[in-house]
Amino acid sequence: MLFRSWGVNRENPDRFAIDLMNEVLGAGTFTSRLGQRIRNDEGLAYSVGSIYSTDTRDMNFFIAYAQTKTESTVQAIQSSLDVINKMRTTPISKNEFETSKEMFLYSYVFRYTEPARSLGAVMGLEFDGLPPDTLEKEFAGYNAVTAADIERVAKKYLRPEELTLFVVGDFPNFAEQAKALGTAHEVQPFNFGEPPGGNGRARQ
């Protein structure tokens, strides 16, 4: 299952706070709210998280995802929506903020420890016409983000009512449960036909 809505691009002044907000929500795999709820607490999925790309020239997407069993599809959807909604309303704890920010800043530094990655980053700046000190300014931007900034951008840029839900699975086996999602997230099945050399079962 996958949720998607429009995101931002690198010209958005809130991009640093958005990245750290997403670290708390789902990018910080083992410590994130989505990971804690859906994987650790409910045991519904091992692969679960969120992506909020902010470093592209063009507008990108916000994506939340989880891979779960057919019988737990609807529960995973409901739990994901609940976590996303609560991200907009529940304050960031001191531990959440400090852990997520520290992990993000460390990962940012270690992206460029290998010569090939450093060269690739410099080539990317040159290709996009960005100043050579862009990476240093980005690090400073992330370092300046506060917990209040994260709470503010969560309210502004997480828009559950605009999410498009995409589910790949055996729809007939959770169609009845899907009714619990209501009309706001009504599931419309698409039949992609029988795969080449298939056994006659359609993919939905």
Side-chain angles (χ1 to χ4, degrees):
M1 48 153 277
L2 180 148
F3 294 99
R4 188 182 76 169
S5 67
W6 282 107
V8 299
N9 64 7
R10 67 185 180 211
E11 300 301 321
N12 192 304
D14 287 328
R15 56 169 297 208
F16 306 117
I18 292 171
D19 275 334
L20 290 175
M21 178 272 294
N22 188 56
E23 187 77 13
V24 176
L25 176 62
T29 308
F30 295 103
T31 59
S32 70
R33 292 187 179 186
L34 283 169
Q36 289 287 337
R37 168 79 176 269
I38 296 172
R39 180 171 53 195
N40 298 352
D41 297 345
E42 299 180 352
L44 299 178
Y46 182 79
S47 178
V48 57
S50 61
I51 302 167
Y52 210 134
S53 299
T54 66
D55 60 351
T56 55
R57 286 178 294 182
D58 299 319
M59 295 291 288
N60 216 307
F61 296 101
F62 164 71
I63 295 172
Y65 62 90
Q67 296 181 17
T68 189
K69 296 179 292 186
T70 297
E71 56 267 28
S72 57
T73 298
V74 173
Q75 184 182 353
I77 291 170
Q78 291 172 323
S79 294
S80 297
L81 285 170
D82 187 52
V83 172
I84 293 169
N85 275 298
K86 286 182 177 177
M87 187 72 207
R88 303 176 71 247
T89 59
T90 306
I92 303 296
S93 70
K94 185 174 185 292
N95 181 63
E96 274 184 317
F97 173 69
E98 292 179 349
T99 300
S100 298
K101 185 173 182 178
E102 182 177 290
M103 290 179 64
F104 187 93
L105 291 176
Y106 276 138
S107 69
Y108 189 89
V109 171
F110 283 110
R111 292 178 197 175
Y112 311 110
T113 54
E114 299 176 7
R117 291 187 177 185
S118 298
L119 177 60
V122 173
M123 291 173 64
L125 295 179
E126 181 70 20
F127 179 80
D128 287 336
L130 297 173
D133 63 347
T134 294
L135 299 181
E136 288 83 355
K137 288 181 177 179
E138 285 187 350
F139 187 85
Y142 290 121
N143 200 34
V145 172
T146 66
D149 291 328
I150 293 176
E151 293 172 1
R152 175 180 59 80
V153 298
K155 291 183 176 69
K156 182 175 181 180
Y157 294 100
L158 288 178
R159 298 181 285 270
E161 71 282 356
E162 296 180 8
L163 289 172
T164 298
L165 170 62
F166 182 72
V167 182
V168 177
D170 194 355
F171 181 68
N173 283 332
F174 65 89
E176 189 64 29
Q177 293 174 314
K179 294 178 182 178
L181 298 173
T183 56
H185 295 284
E186 183 178 356
V187 179
Q188 300 290 339
F190 291 90
N191 191 322
F192 293 101
E194 181 180 348
N199 57 9
R201 295 184 61 190
R203 291 178 177 176
Q204 294 181 300

